Amino acid sequence: MAETTRVSSNGTAPRGPYISVITNRTTNLLIRGAMLFGVGVFLALVLNLLQVQRNVTLFPPDVISSIFSSAWWVPPCCGTASALIGLLYPCIDRRLGEPHKLKREWSSVMRCVAVFVGINHASAKVDFANNVQLSLTLAALSVGLWWTFDRSRSGFGLGVAIALLATLATQLLVYNGVFQYTSPDFLYIRSWLPCIFFAGVITMGNIGRQLALVSAHQQT
Amino acid sequence: MTVRERLRQNISAAFYRHGLLCASYPVPIILFTSASILTCCYPLLKLPLPGTGPVEFTTGVKDYSVPSHEPQGDLGERPDWYRGPPVAYIQQVLVKAAVSPWDSSLVPVDVFRSPLGRVFSLLEEIRNHVYTDRSLETLCLQVTELLPGLRRMQSILPEHGCLLVSPGNYWQNRRDLFDSDPDILKTVHQHEPKGIHTSATLKDLLFGVPGKNTGVSLYSRKRVVTYTITIALSNYDSRFVASLRSRLKQLHPSVNCTLREDHMVHVHFKEEIGIAELIPLVTTYIILFAYIYFSTRKIDMVKSKWGLALAAVVTVLSSLLMSVGLCTLFGLTPTLNGGEIFPYLVVVIGLENVLVLTKSVVSTPVDLEVKLRIAQGLSSESWSIMKNMATELVIILIGYFTLVPAIQEFCLFAVVGLVSDFFLQMFFFTTVLSIDIRRMELADLNRRLPAEAGMPPPPKPGPLRTREAPPPPRPSAHTITLQAPAFRNLRLPKRLRVVYFLARTRLAQRIIMVGTVIWIGILVYTDPAGLRTYLAAQVAEQSPLGEAGLPPHLGVAPVFPGGDPTSTLSVLPAPEPTPLPENQSQGHGASRTGSAPMSSPQISWGSEDEEVWRRLSFRYWPSLFSYYNITLAKRYISILPVIPVTLHLSPQEAVEMRHPQDTQHAPRTSAKTTDIQTDLTLYKVAALGLFAGVVLVLLLFCLYRVLCPRNYGQNGVQHGRRRRGELPCDEYGYSPPVSEISPLLLRGHSMDIECLASDGMLLASCCLAGQIRVWDAQTGDCLTVIPNNGLRRSSSSGCWEHRDGWDPLTPTFDPDGLLGAESRSPVSTAAAGAPDASEYAEPPLRRRATPSRPALFGDQPDLTPLIDTNFGELPSSLTASARGFDFGGLVEKAYKEHEVSPTVHFSPPTPPAPTAPPQRRRSLGDNPVAFPDRISASPGDWDSSVWSMELRGNLIATGRSSGKLELWDAVEGSLRCCNEDGSSGITALAFLNNRIVAARLNGSLDFFTVDTNKPLGLLQYRGPPGRGSVPSSPCYSSEDVISCQLTRSVQCAHQKPITVLRAAAGRVVTGSQDHTVRVYRLEDSCCLFTLQGHSGGITSIYIDQTMVLASGGQDGAICLWDVLTGSRVSHVYGHRGDVTSLVCTNSCVISSGLDDLICIWDRSTSIKLYSIQQEVGCGASLGVISDSLLVTGGHGCVSFWDLNYGDLLQTVYLGQNSEGQHVRQLLVLDNAAIVCDFGSELSLVYVPSVLEKLD
């Protein structure tokens, strides 16, 4: 009887068709990646719109053109990056063996996303006296975001590393003349860019961890 | 004690008292909170509507100079936007023209044809006006071409030249085109858009007055045509404008015109929200709603989830409104776009506290009084709430010191919002929560009232439950408290729920109603002549700030006597004050009536004509400029005083072009008000806000002190006396000692547990090794261990002496002793010559090695309680011998012989119990003739395992595979008697009163009577008087000598092995492999009915005291029978595969099957209500605690379900390492404990709150 008990406990519990599709590991990874990619593209478009909006005139409200006012490759890049980050975070958590414990709920994730959009909003809308002030404020806000929603050392390290990398990449891109910033104050780019990158990394990591958590729930 | 701890304690105590207060006076507190919300929101009424309403600033004309770009410190009254030159200066010429006197010979067209015709000459005049060297061409705003999308207006609106707009534009400013136009109205209206339009139309644009005021209509009764000529100037030259004004006035004097000409209005337009801007906004709102959704989803275990979610949202929203209101009260104008920052504010303030509060309160013991629950919940979360709030305040303070005005403002709002949110949480939400929880308990109370009605009131349980005095069984009326469930499943069919919900709330109707109202609202709002313009006018009228900064002497409106020229010359830099519009209208009314006789053609000029553009949509100017791709967002225009032009046309003139007459003009009263914006500094406001917060807190503290008595229910155990009018649910006087469900593990068996029996106080279990253990069902103590080795030894060797070894082991048996027994057993088997030493290591192996039961559990391992179901498939020699008809007579004859001979009769009258064993053993050993089965039995006899067990009183009846029936003393652990009449294994036992019914593998049914030699002792209750509360279980004291007599044996009760045996209400019901169910009377063993209806072997039967009989078979069918008549009441097919267990409650039948599905059926209609999918192999364990509570077993856990709704209430995990083990048997004891076995362990789970609050 003990044998059969063991066998039946190893067997999969009955599940609905939808979940059983997700239980496949690779499929699960793909779905998570796709979701993160979608979120990244969406956020990139919306935030880009926010940045563009400062100079947008009242008329004509040509929505399509202002949504896609940036280069076509920016949103896919953001999407890919966010997918990578979102998959990387849970992976690193697992490797380091210190699972993320803080407030693992969807409402917390939503709060995090809202704060991230708010930081972008502030950087786009609020008139700051100078760029140093803007950058310092945004840096403080980003660190506050990390403290509120992440608080893991790995998260901080990864965030800083990716933010630096992304800033470097942007510098290179601008240096090679792929595109330009309106009023560069930090070599070729805006000085608040690393802060935004950092906040974005934290946010995407949060989403990725939550997604991984959900799928882990479904698998057990 | 550190300061921190002391602080913590104080906070906790304060919250506790506060919780008591809130829960005690819910209604006054809610009223008070609502009043304070309304008070704080009152200043919002003065606020302009959020959105894009323009802002005005008025200066004098005389000393006007273009404002500089640099901000000037001392001019505090100047708004921030009043810097630099405006986009344009607007000079309007307001023309009122009428044909007078009106002649009856004139046709309606004459009302407007000739007045409109005059526009061309006026235009000519304006264009050609030259002052010194300046002409209009040099001053006016040059526009280039129209936007590409406006090609169709190209012929109408000016391009590449001065922006000069008049009705003449319809005819390209050419008189000849106008004269040749056959239908003026058609020309005017052909450009009007169809349907609803919100912004200014072309007609508004060109006429410069609202469409209905132009008078260009065939049905106009006023017969005055009004239009404007609008000139946009890029540079302001006061002398040119003045000369133009005087020239026009001179040409067309307005007799009674009293319009003021000294004010110039600067209108600042805010940024309009375009679709492009809307997308991020919508995104933030979507995120906000997702946040709210995910947050409120966590609210659980309350009466009305949606109600609480609504209360949470209301809390946050009204705290925001309160903060805005308070800030406005102290003079801080929100310059930020409210719609934009709102989601962020909500996110910053958050719903967390609310949820934490709910969770904490809900997780308090449900049997406490409501107010105590609230108080405990509050105080347990007080520290974290205060800590979070302090953290947030610090963060916001840091944000405040960024010294960026926008962020500072946000922070200020957030601080006030946080404080007011805290206030609302403490007062509003807590009170709502208390009401909700009270409602929940009321509802539960109501639900169980009908169940109680038919029952005698149960005796009050003693304060302390001990083994001797267990609470009496309560068959129904339970509530359960549950801590946060792991997950919830709604098992009632979804569509049914939806339909019920729709029906209950009349949702469809309400949605339609709301939709209609919204639609009407939109219509009214977007109607160009409707609410929107009115609102815009209101917004424009009401200053964004209060009148606090105004000097008092300006509070009285100046009244202008008719035609007073000095007023136009007065240089008043101060704006015209707001109030008393009636004064003005009175003044003008007087001037009108005084100067103009009613008979004469009348063109009157009222104050409303001063700024005729106010009556237009506030989007008039933005849309005019937007046609030329000039945005007014965040910029301003300066509107110069209007130039009035009055045209009186004689009827002859009109007739020449075609003609008009007398008019009436009833001007509306409209007050023009302007204000100075006063601005307190941010710092003042901050100080004031903080001060107000402190005052508020102090006030509340005082209020609290007044309202809440000091010694008010301090510690959570004492209960207030019943007060008049208080809700009954507050009166629970009972608090159970254990408040959460914690399983009690009973360890001791070395192998998997096979049989489980209980009578409510004792619990007997038997494992595969044959060891029987007796436990206390209350405390979980192991009372007795009856190892198996002695019996086996004796049965194999015929020597009974051996039992001396284990007899003394009785009441206190410790694991060491157990180990000793276990270690002894292989030795004993080895001595007996039995080769299977390995059988102890691995039970399945042993089982397969047993010759009498080959592959018995091979295919159905998890259905141990239902061993019986598969007997038909067994190639067992025993069953084969019993099944054949040829053997029937033979066996019957053998049994007759048995009855003749006094087989097993233990009749030594004297011996006391402790010394009894040798005697008894002797007596057993002395009756070799009494064991015919032992002679004829197969070699498996020595290994007879316990197949069935029953416990009644303190007697354990065990049925063995060898056909032996043994009665053991549960407390002493001694064998009281043994009956070996039958040779076939006892598959099922029923022990009722003093009768034992044994069903055997060969289909025969034996009735035994348990007798003691002392007739008086039979019904003696157990033990000292304290135990006397157990009426139904007679006790056999250890002094008695007990005999077990076979009274009757029904040989061929069934053709095939009996699989199920149940006894209740004086009936014995058997189910067999031969597809039939038989009902016997217990007293005389008489077969009453043979129930046929199944098409497969019977696998489960349920019968209870109320004579409900249900049976389930291998065909998956469930039959309900009437026991009195033997007729079948209903018959349903519920499962694929065997029905493994069946339970009935008052209203439903619960069945589980091999398909791991638990189905709940309505008992009266036999309709399946819902089903619960179980884990694999766990389907059979099932129990009903009350009418509404179902227990099922799972992988290492038991789950509690609400039977009414199919909700999973809670899952209790039985142990850390029990994940892989199924719960195979589940027994519900009378005292609401659940016993279940998994593997070699037993688990005793108390459901504490099931001891419901009846008293």
Side-chain angles (χ1 to χ4, degrees):
Chain A
M1 185 167 297
E3 276 174 7
T4 50
T5 307
R6 235 171 279 133
V7 167
S8 61
S9 72
N10 286 340
T12 53
R15 290 196 185 94
Y18 173 67
I19 298 177
S20 60
V21 169
I22 299 186
T23 45
N24 186 354
R25 192 178 171 80
T26 324
T27 326
N28 176 21
L29 208 66
L30 283 180
I31 288 178
R32 261 161 57 200
M35 286 171 80
L36 286 165
F37 182 82
V39 170
V41 168
F42 179 69
L43 279 182
L45 287 177
V46 167
L47 298 183
N48 183 48
L49 207 58
L50 264 180
Q51 301 284 348
V52 168
Q53 233 177 56
R54 286 205 99 169
N55 310 320
V56 89
T57 51
L58 197 56
F59 293 92
D62 200 349
V63 185
I64 306 301
S65 67
S66 54
I67 282 184
F68 298 105
S69 52
S70 64
W72 63 269
W73 48 266
V74 171
C77 278
C78 291
T80 315
S82 59
L84 283 180
I85 293 165
L87 294 177
L88 198 59
Y89 258 82
C91 182
I92 281 191
D93 279 349
R94 216 175 306 129
R95 284 290 156 83
L96 290 182
E98 40 184 27
H100 185 230
K101 291 247 169 53
L102 189 78
K103 289 186 214 158
R104 310 203 61 172
E105 293 157 344
W106 273 113
S107 62
S108 169
V109 173
M110 282 300 144
R111 222 179 167 187
C112 181
V113 175
V115 172
F116 175 60
V117 176
I119 288 176
N120 275 278
H121 205 141
S123 79
K125 284 279 171 85
V126 177
D127 294 306
F128 284 90
N130 53 37
N131 277 314
V132 177
Q133 200 183 25
L134 172 65
S135 305
L136 285 181
T137 309
L138 288 188
L141 281 175
S142 307
V143 174
L145 181 85
W146 169 77
W147 178 253
T148 320
F149 298 106
D150 192 321
R151 271 190 223 186
S152 65
R153 276 173 301 159
S154 60
F156 191 81
L158 203 59
V160 168
I162 292 178
L164 289 181
L165 273 179
T167 315
L168 195 67
T170 324
Q171 288 279 14
L172 286 177
L173 283 178
V174 176
Y175 183 73
N176 290 325
V178 181
F179 64 100
Q180 268 188 338
Y181 275 86
T182 44
S183 54
D185 63 325
F186 178 61
L187 299 183
Y188 297 99
I189 58 168
R190 302 295 298 267
S191 56
W192 43 259
L193 209 60
C195 309
I196 297 285
F197 277 136
F198 178 74
V201 169
I202 297 291
T203 307
M204 294 317 295
N206 226 331
I207 297 177
R209 279 167 166 167
Q210 191 67 31
L211 282 177
L213 187 74
V214 168
S215 61
H217 262 305
Q218 285 167 350
Q219 272 181 340
T220 53
Chain B
M1 186 189 279
T2 63
V3 176
R4 180 189 156 95
E5 279 170 0
R6 217 166 20 208
L7 189 68
R8 190 170 176 162
Q9 245 180 19
N10 285 339
I11 288 175
S12 172
F15 271 68
Y16 190 89
R17 286 194 295 267
H18 174 78
L20 284 180
L21 170 73
C22 283
S24 308
Y25 305 102
V27 177
I29 285 180
I30 282 195
L31 287 180
F32 163 72
T33 319
S34 313
S36 47
I37 291 175
L38 290 181
T39 314
C40 291
C41 291
Y42 174 71
L44 288 179
L45 291 179
K46 291 188 200 161
L47 219 59
L49 286 181
T52 54
V55 185
E56 292 170 23
F57 179 62
T58 308
T59 55
V61 172
K62 298 280 174 180
D63 54 351
Y64 173 78
S65 62
V66 177
S68 63
H69 281 281
E70 286 75 33
Q72 287 151 329
D74 56 333
L75 296 172
E77 58 199 29
R78 277 194 182 183
D80 292 336
W81 48 264
Y82 187 58
R83 279 176 209 162
V87 177
Y89 298 92
I90 305 291
Q91 176 65 65
Q92 281 191 307
V93 179
L94 179 59
V95 181
K96 290 193 177 188
V99 175
S100 63
W102 183 255
D103 199 328
S104 58
S105 65
L106 297 175
V107 295
V109 182
D110 293 329
V111 173
F112 49 85
R113 178 174 275 271
S114 58
L116 276 181
R118 286 296 194 91
V119 75
F120 300 103
S121 58
L122 274 172
L123 281 174
E124 202 66 18
E125 184 65 40
I126 292 168
R127 280 184 192 280
N128 296 334
H129 183 76
V130 175
Y131 177 77
T132 61
D133 55 340
R134 290 162 193 261
S135 69
L136 191 68
E137 286 294 322
T138 60
L139 289 174
C140 76
L141 184 73
Q142 300 285 338
V143 292
T144 55
E145 57 188 8
L146 287 167
L147 277 182
L150 298 167
R151 294 285 174 221
R152 61 186 181 85
M153 292 192 181
Q154 232 169 359
S155 60
I156 295 168
L157 289 172
E159 273 189 304
H160 302 289
C162 280
L163 180 57
L164 194 145
V165 181
S166 73
N169 285 90
Y170 279 120
W171 300 275
Q172 281 103 46
N173 292 333
R174 283 163 60 187
R175 178 78 188 235
D176 51 338
L177 286 181
F178 177 74
D179 286 338
S180 60
D181 190 354
D183 192 347
I184 293 174
L185 280 180
K186 190 183 166 196
T187 311
V188 170
H189 285 289
Q190 70 185 358
H191 295 288
E192 291 303 290
K194 302 283 181 290
I196 298 172
H197 40 80
T198 54
S199 63
T201 64
L202 191 64
K203 187 180 175 188
D204 293 341
L205 223 55
L206 294 188
F207 276 86
V209 286
K212 60 176 191 249
N213 293 351
T214 56
V216 183
S217 160
L218 289 178
Y219 312 106
S220 166
R221 297 182 60 186
K222 295 169 188 168
R223 295 192 177 113
V224 172
V225 174
T226 313
Y227 53 87
T228 59
I229 299 169
T230 305
I231 311 154
L233 303 171
S234 60
N235 298 307
Y236 178 63
D237 188 335
S238 59
R239 287 164 300 172
F240 175 80
V241 172
S243 76
L244 179 65
R245 175 184 299 272
S246 57
R247 169 74 180 156
L248 287 178
K249 278 187 165 181
Q250 180 196 345
L251 283 177
H252 308 283
S254 304
V255 181
N256 54 358
C257 179
T258 62
L259 299 187
R260 299 174 61 182
E261 294 170 356
D262 54 344
H263 285 164
M264 175 173 192
V265 181
H266 311 279
V267 183
H268 177 252
F269 294 91
K270 287 185 179 164
E271 200 164 10
E272 284 214 22
I273 298 177
I275 295 178
E277 192 156 355
L278 224 53
I279 290 176
L281 200 65
V282 167
T283 310
T284 53
Y285 271 91
I286 288 175
I287 295 173
L288 174 70
F289 281 121
Y291 168 61
I292 290 179
Y293 168 73
F294 282 120
S295 299
T296 53
R297 207 174 60 160
K298 288 185 291 186
I299 295 182
D300 227 332
M301 285 314 298
V302 290
K303 178 69 190 172
S304 158
K305 198 174 164 175
W306 287 109
L308 273 194
L310 185 70
V313 174
V314 163
T315 305
V316 173
L317 291 196
S318 43
S319 71
L320 283 181
L321 286 182
M322 275 172 81
S323 75
V324 178
L326 285 176
C327 288
T328 319
L329 186 67
F330 293 119
L332 179 75
T333 323
T335 55
L336 295 175
N337 188 341
E340 268 176 25
I341 63 169
F342 177 75
Y344 303 123
L345 274 176
V346 170
V347 165
V348 162
I349 291 176
L351 294 169
E352 258 67 22
N353 273 353
V354 165
L355 302 175
V356 162
L357 270 184
T358 312
K359 210 167 151 187
S360 154
V361 168
V362 161
S363 61
T364 53
V366 81
D367 21 47
L368 287 181
E369 234 176 302
V370 172
K371 52 189 173 196
L372 294 179
R373 289 185 68 189
I374 297 280
Q376 281 187 5
L378 271 186
S379 76
S380 66
E381 283 302 326
S382 59
W383 184 243
S384 72
I385 286 177
M386 293 308 284
K387 216 165 58 179
N388 278 341
M389 190 166 154
T391 318
E392 279 174 340
L393 283 180
V394 165
I395 289 175
I396 289 171
L397 205 66
I398 291 173
Y400 192 79
F401 284 110
T402 53
L403 301 179
V404 180
I407 292 184
Q408 278 181 330
E409 193 181 322
F410 181 84
C411 290
L412 203 64
F413 274 123
V415 165
V416 183
L418 268 183
V419 171
S420 53
D421 183 59
F422 180 71
F423 165 71
L424 284 184
Q425 272 169 14
M426 285 300 108
F427 281 88
F428 179 71
F429 188 78
T430 310
T431 319
V432 169
L433 190 63
S434 78
I435 291 177
D436 183 274
I437 285 180
R438 180 162 295 155
R439 268 181 65 211
M440 176 168 77
E441 311 215 336
L442 267 185
D444 286 349
L445 207 71
N446 291 339
R447 204 164 52 201
R448 70 172 183 245
L449 274 180
E452 283 172 351
M455 260 181 266
K460 191 164 180 150
L464 200 66
R465 283 177 296 136
T466 60
R467 185 185 152 221
E468 287 78 18
R474 291 184 186 134
S476 69
H478 297 294
T479 54
I480 182 164
T481 48
L482 299 153
Q483 287 78 30
F487 61 96
R488 287 176 78 89
N489 274 346
L490 307 182
R491 294 289 177 176
L492 199 70
K494 281 259 170 61
R495 57 199 158 79
L496 265 188
R497 292 201 150 195
V498 169
V499 169
Y500 286 160
F501 179 73
L502 287 182
R504 198 170 58 237
T505 57
R506 295 161 193 266
L507 204 62
Q509 286 177 19
R510 291 182 187 190
I511 285 176
I512 290 171
M513 274 170 56
V514 168
T516 317
V517 168
I518 289 176
W519 185 63
I520 291 174
I522 288 175
L523 277 190
V524 169
Y525 188 70
T526 54
D527 184 17
L531 187 65
R532 188 176 176 124
T533 42
Y534 174 72
L535 282 179
Q538 289 291 108
V539 168
E541 255 174 42
Q542 289 191 348
S543 66
L545 285 178
E547 293 86 359
L550 279 183
H553 68 273
L554 285 175
V556 183
V559 178
F560 304 108
D564 184 6
T566 58
S567 72
T568 62
L569 295 175
S570 69
V571 185
L572 261 181
E576 203 171 330
T578 334
L580 307 175
E582 64 271 19
N583 281 358
Q584 280 183 328
S585 63
Q586 274 173 11
H588 288 295
S591 72
R592 256 203 321 274
T593 50
S595 62
M598 291 302 288
S599 59
S600 69
Q602 185 176 353
I603 294 173
S604 61
W605 295 90
S607 59
E608 78 280 357
D609 291 326
E610 278 177 8
E611 280 154 351
V612 71
W613 49 270
R614 283 192 193 280
R615 285 185 283 160
L616 291 164
S617 158
F618 65 91
R619 296 194 49 162
Y620 178 81
W621 301 115
S623 52
L624 176 64
F625 284 92
S626 72
Y627 289 159
Y628 300 97
N629 201 12
I630 301 170
T631 178
L632 291 185
K634 294 189 163 183
R635 298 164 81 180
Y636 75 99
I637 56 172
S638 299
I639 299 174
L640 303 173
V642 71
I643 304 174
V645 169
T646 310
L647 296 175
H648 286 283
L649 291 94
S650 66
Q652 287 78 19
E653 269 180 288
V655 167
E656 278 171 17
M657 297 168 62
R658 283 280 21 163
H659 289 216
Q661 194 205 6
D662 188 50
T663 62
Q664 281 186 342
H665 191 191
R668 293 183 185 176
T669 61
S670 157
K672 166 195 168 284
T673 61
T674 49
D675 270 302
I676 297 174
Q677 293 190 347
T678 59
D679 208 6
L680 294 176
T681 67
L682 219 53
Y683 299 100
K684 272 190 208 162
V685 171
L688 277 175
L690 276 182
F691 178 72
V694 169
V695 166
L696 198 68
V697 167
L698 285 179
L699 184 77
L700 292 178
F701 183 73
C702 295
L703 202 75
Y704 163 72
R705 281 283 166 188
V706 169
L707 280 182
C708 188
R710 196 68 61 89
N711 56 350
Y712 182 80
Q714 285 290 346
N715 41 4
V717 288
Q718 67 187 33
H719 304 281
R721 282 173 284 113
R722 181 187 294 263
R723 282 196 300 266
R724 189 176 57 82
E726 194 150 284
L727 297 168
C729 61
D730 279 347
E731 307 303 321
Y732 305 132
Y734 177 66
S735 58
V738 192
S739 65
E740 64 178 20
I741 298 180
S742 53
L744 203 61
L745 279 189
L746 313 182
R747 289 200 177 90
H749 282 293
S750 58
M751 295 191 187
D752 283 7
I753 291 164
E754 284 281 352
C755 307
L756 202 57
S758 169
D759 65 344
M761 281 170 297
L762 293 178
L763 181 65
S765 60
C766 177
C767 68
L768 280 177
Q771 187 190 52
I772 298 172
R773 278 174 175 260
V774 183
W775 317 81
D776 186 333
Q778 306 288 335
T779 63
D781 297 334
C782 181
L783 300 174
T784 321
V785 179
I786 306 171
N788 193 28
N789 54 346
L791 176 64
R792 194 187 304 128
R793 177 77 168 262
S794 66
S795 60
S796 56
S797 64
C799 169
W800 292 81
E801 288 334 297
H802 234 68
R803 261 194 236 133
D804 282 337
W806 51 265
D807 255 342
L809 282 175
T810 41
T812 53
F813 191 81
D814 52 353
D816 297 335
L818 169 71
L819 278 177
E822 290 302 313
S823 61
R824 242 192 347 258
S825 55
V827 179
S828 63
T829 44
D836 302 337
S838 65
E839 67 192 53
Y840 292 93
E842 192 60 42
L845 272 182
R846 183 185 72 107
R847 228 188 254 129
R848 278 166 201 148
T850 308
S852 65
R853 297 164 66 187
L856 179 57
F857 296 111
D859 51 347
Q860 299 295 341
D862 298 322
L863 302 173
T864 353
L866 305 164
I867 317 171
D868 333 334
T869 56
N870 292 314
F871 278 114
E873 301 159 13
L874 297 182
S876 157
S877 60
L878 285 173
T879 56
S881 68
R883 212 182 293 155
F885 278 110
D886 305 340
F887 294 83
L890 220 149
V891 176
E892 210 169 315
K893 211 194 294 177
Y895 269 89
K896 275 175 187 164
E897 284 174 14
H898 295 166
E899 284 182 7
V900 172
S901 64
T903 46
V904 188
H905 193 217
F906 304 101
S907 55
T910 48
T915 55
Q919 222 168 3
R920 198 174 61 229
R921 263 179 259 127
R922 183 168 41 79
S923 71
L924 277 170
D926 284 344
N927 291 329
V929 287
F931 306 110
D933 50 335
R934 237 179 68 194
I935 299 160
S936 65
S938 58
D941 183 35
W942 56 267
D943 192 18
S944 67
S945 54
V946 177
W947 278 8
S948 56
M949 188 167 67
E950 270 293 302
L951 176 66
R952 197 64 50 178
N954 56 351
L955 278 186
I956 302 172
T958 55
R960 292 188 174 268
S961 57
S962 59
K964 231 187 298 187
L965 174 72
E966 296 164 338
L967 285 178
W968 298 81
D969 190 312
V971 181
E972 308 274 330
S974 54
L975 182 69
R976 304 300 295 269
C977 82
C978 179
N979 189 317
E980 306 195 15
D981 283 345
S983 59
S984 184
I986 297 176
T987 57
L989 270 177
F991 197 159
L992 209 64
N993 301 334
N994 58 344
R995 285 172 186 272
I996 297 175
V997 186
R1000 295 185 187 272
L1001 200 55
N1002 59 4
S1004 63
L1005 195 64
D1006 291 352
F1007 290 79
F1008 297 93
T1009 309
V1010 179
D1011 287 325
T1012 58
N1013 59 342
K1014 275 196 298 181
L1016 280 180
L1018 176 64
L1019 289 176
Q1020 177 190 351
Y1021 290 126
R1022 185 198 299 210
R1027 302 175 178 179
S1029 62
V1030 189
S1032 63
S1033 56
C1035 227
Y1036 305 92
S1037 81
S1038 53
E1039 289 88 32
D1040 304 333
V1041 173
I1042 293 172
S1043 64
C1044 180
Q1045 242 175 341
L1046 181 69
T1047 52
R1048 184 177 153 81
S1049 174
V1050 183
Q1051 278 307 309
C1052 279
H1054 287 279
Q1055 307 297 327
K1056 289 186 180 178
I1058 295 173
T1059 51
V1060 206
L1061 172 69
R1062 294 280 185 274
R1067 297 286 185 275
V1068 177
V1069 185
T1070 57
S1072 157
Q1073 286 284 332
D1074 62 1
H1075 306 186
T1076 58
V1077 176
R1078 288 194 170 205
V1079 182
Y1080 294 87
R1081 200 152 50 206
L1082 188 61
E1083 305 95 70
D1084 53 0
S1085 330
C1086 167
C1087 178
L1088 298 175
F1089 306 108
T1090 301
L1091 309 175
Q1092 291 176 328
H1094 284 281
S1095 55
I1098 309 297
T1099 52
S1100 60
I1101 282 177
Y1102 176 86
I1103 185 170
D1104 64 10
Q1105 292 295 327
T1106 56
M1107 294 277 213
V1108 178
L1109 175 58
S1111 63
Q1114 282 176 330
D1115 51 351
I1118 299 162
C1119 292
L1120 285 181
W1121 310 89
D1122 184 358
V1123 183
L1124 296 176
T1125 63
S1127 59
R1128 191 167 73 185
V1129 178
S1130 65
H1131 179 237
V1132 287
Y1133 284 96
H1135 295 277
R1136 294 185 307 258
D1138 301 6
V1139 177
T1140 51
S1141 65
L1142 262 180
V1143 180
C1144 295
T1145 67
N1146 283 335
S1147 57
C1148 53
V1149 178
I1150 302 144
S1151 66
S1152 69
L1154 272 186
D1155 51 358
D1156 296 312
L1157 213 59
I1158 293 181
C1159 296
I1160 286 86
W1161 311 81
D1162 188 75
R1163 211 171 96 178
S1164 50
T1165 61
S1166 303
I1167 292 171
K1168 181 152 94 172
L1169 297 175
Y1170 53 91
S1171 60
I1172 301 169
Q1173 178 71 50
Q1174 284 286 93
E1175 290 174 72
V1176 172
C1178 300
S1181 48
L1182 182 69
V1184 170
I1185 296 182
S1186 74
D1187 267 352
S1188 59
L1189 196 57
L1190 173 72
V1191 190
T1192 62
H1195 280 282
C1197 61
V1198 287
S1199 304
F1200 296 88
W1201 305 81
D1202 186 342
L1203 260 184
N1204 298 321
Y1205 302 106
D1207 288 350
L1208 176 63
L1209 297 174
Q1210 192 174 12
T1211 301
V1212 176
Y1213 288 90
L1214 300 175
Q1216 281 80 24
N1217 51 358
S1218 58
E1219 286 300 322
Q1221 297 273 24
H1222 296 297
V1223 170
R1224 294 194 313 265
Q1225 297 188 58
L1226 202 145
L1227 209 60
V1228 177
L1229 304 186
D1230 290 339
N1231 55 1
I1234 300 154
V1235 185
C1236 42
D1237 71 328
F1238 58 106
S1240 62
E1241 294 176 350
L1242 280 177
S1243 184
L1244 191 62
V1245 181
Y1246 269 102
V1247 192
S1249 49
V1250 165
L1251 297 168
E1252 78 291 348
K1253 315 155 191 172
L1254 278 178
D1255 32 346

